[in-house]
Amino acid sequence: LFPLLEVESGRQWLINHERAHIAQIDSDGAWNFWPKIIFDYFRYGHHASPYEIEARQYEQVGSSRLS
């Protein structure tokens, strides 16, 4: 995913979070993901966006959607 990024302790949560977003794009398709996430940001705000909520769930454990 980030070939030049050395995973430091304390940064794995961020990688897991961003990997969840990549899995969301792969699962839902970019043409669905981007308009929906932008709409959700305006409707719910960044923190309450359903995609963000899901991504935060995988910060500590990793994303099962990546399997």
Side-chain angles (χ1 to χ4, degrees):
L1 177 61
F2 300 102
L4 300 177
L5 178 64
E6 181 177 327
V7 178
E8 302 171 16
S9 64
R11 301 264 174 128
Q12 186 62 46
W13 70 270
L14 177 59
I15 292 171
N16 291 346
H17 180 99
E18 297 306 325
R19 288 180 72 207
H21 285 311
I22 292 169
Q24 291 165 341
I25 294 168
D26 288 344
S27 175
D28 298 344
W31 287 104
N32 293 322
F33 174 84
W34 290 111
K36 183 164 176 20
I37 200 167
I38 292 168
F39 176 80
D40 287 350
Y41 283 172
F42 285 107
R43 183 173 185 192
Y44 304 111
H46 181 262
H47 190 74
S49 166
Y51 281 126
E52 286 300 321
I53 292 169
E54 180 181 23
R56 281 194 305 274
Q57 292 174 348
Y58 296 108
E59 289 177 1
Q60 300 303 317
V61 296
S63 177
S64 64
R65 282 182 84 166
L66 296 174
S67 303

